[in-house]
Amino acid sequence: MTLNVEIKRYNPEKDDAPHWESYEVPADPLDSALALLLHVKWHIDGTLSLRKSCAHGICGSDAMQINGENKLACSVLVQDLVDNDGATVKFAPLPAAPVIKDLVIDQSRFFEKYRDVKPWLINDNPAPEKERKQSPAEHEIIEEATKCIMCGACTHACPSTWASPDYLGPAAMLKAYRYTFDTRDDGEGERLDTVDSENGLWKCYTIFNCNEACPKDIDITRWLSALKRRSAVTA
């Protein structure tokens, strides 16, 4: 089939504002959405800018808005987007973030928030001879949260993020949950001080946009609710 690929383009060196450009792209139903963009870049317009790395849904680099929804371009197939020749697939950068160029957003603030929640194991006790052990049952509590690839799709689908640029967002707070509920960690107090704040947990209104956007099907709102309960109990 041949598809009409529309891309929201923006080059700050030349453009006063973002605009849409259209391209005719040959496609197979089993092609990824990323393949459509790479065809444009490699065969039609080499000035197109986008992020991508492993192209296997692991690194999270190519999160963007596709047909109005935040997705990983490498993980969604053409057949999941359109079903007929001549159909349109629209690509835009993730919302609520400064655009560097075309589909590339500035992720600086996103990762600042990630670092704010101290997403690492905090344990000042002497290291054991081999490892800090954790039972399968203990790990099950955090297992789903460990699958987060920090693509940003959830945070940039959140209306609280759109309204409040300083809001920590679901991705950062999911990491806070993952380490706070890790039985090997002693940093609960430090993290809860960060998430139990004006721009933290209580701006999450549990509207499930993050769940719908997550390419790993993580039940983010469930784990943030658990973090809210922990914060309320220890306050």
Side-chain angles (χ1 to χ4, degrees):
M1 64 177 72
T2 298
L3 301 179
N4 176 44
V5 173
E6 294 188 5
I7 305 174
K8 198 170 190 178
R9 304 290 305 268
Y10 175 62
N11 182 346
E13 296 181 357
K14 300 192 304 182
D15 301 328
D16 294 328
H19 61 281
W20 292 91
E21 294 187 15
S22 300
Y23 309 88
E24 286 191 356
V25 177
D28 184 272
L30 294 179
D31 284 344
S32 67
L34 177 61
L36 303 180
L37 293 173
L38 293 180
H39 181 90
V40 173
K41 183 169 181 65
W42 293 341
H43 301 289
I44 303 175
D45 186 350
T47 68
L48 175 64
S49 292
L50 67 148
R51 281 195 179 103
K52 71 101 180 173
S53 186
C54 75
H56 287 82
I58 302 299
C59 67
S61 297
D62 62 3
M64 60 187 68
Q65 199 171 77
I66 306 174
N67 282 0
E69 297 181 347
N70 294 359
K71 298 178 179 293
L72 288 184
C74 61
S75 296
V76 61
L77 301 181
V78 168
Q79 66 183 13
D80 299 324
L81 297 169
V82 296
D83 56 11
N84 61 287
D85 190 62
T88 296
V89 180
K90 302 183 73 170
F91 294 91
L94 289 175
V99 176
I100 296 175
K101 186 174 183 283
D102 296 334
L103 302 175
V104 178
I105 62 169
D106 185 344
Q107 296 179 304
S108 302
R109 192 74 186 94
F110 176 79
F111 282 105
E112 284 175 13
K113 296 172 185 177
Y114 168 65
R115 289 188 289 270
D116 284 346
V117 303
K118 297 180 171 61
W120 54 80
L121 198 68
I122 298 174
N123 191 320
D124 294 328
N125 293 320
E129 186 175 332
K130 290 187 178 180
E131 60 185 310
R132 300 188 191 276
K133 294 184 178 180
Q134 185 176 62
S135 71
E138 290 170 333
H139 181 73
E140 186 177 2
I141 295 170
I142 62 171
E143 182 174 4
E144 188 176 77
T146 67
K147 298 175 182 177
C148 171
I149 59 175
M150 293 300 291
C151 65
C154 65
T155 293
H156 294 288
C158 177
S160 290
T161 298
W162 305 340
S164 304
D166 292 330
Y167 173 55
L168 284 171
M173 292 194 294
L174 181 66
K175 289 296 182 183
Y177 166 85
R178 178 257 180 272
Y179 284 97
T180 296
F181 280 75
D182 192 317
T183 53
R184 300 162 296 182
D185 182 81
D186 294 330
E188 175 179 316
E190 298 177 51
R191 289 194 201 87
L192 291 183
D193 284 344
T194 299
V195 300
D196 186 10
S197 63
E198 179 183 358
N199 291 305
L201 284 168
W202 310 110
K203 279 189 177 176
C204 167
Y205 302 116
T206 318
I207 63 171
F208 300 101
N209 273 24
C210 53
N211 285 24
E212 292 181 8
C214 179
K216 296 303 176 183
D217 297 322
I218 301 172
D219 192 353
I220 301 171
T221 53
R222 176 186 179 186
W223 309 124
L224 296 195
S225 294
L227 194 59
K228 287 178 181 178
R229 291 192 293 271
R230 177 67 65 88
S231 178
V233 167
T234 58

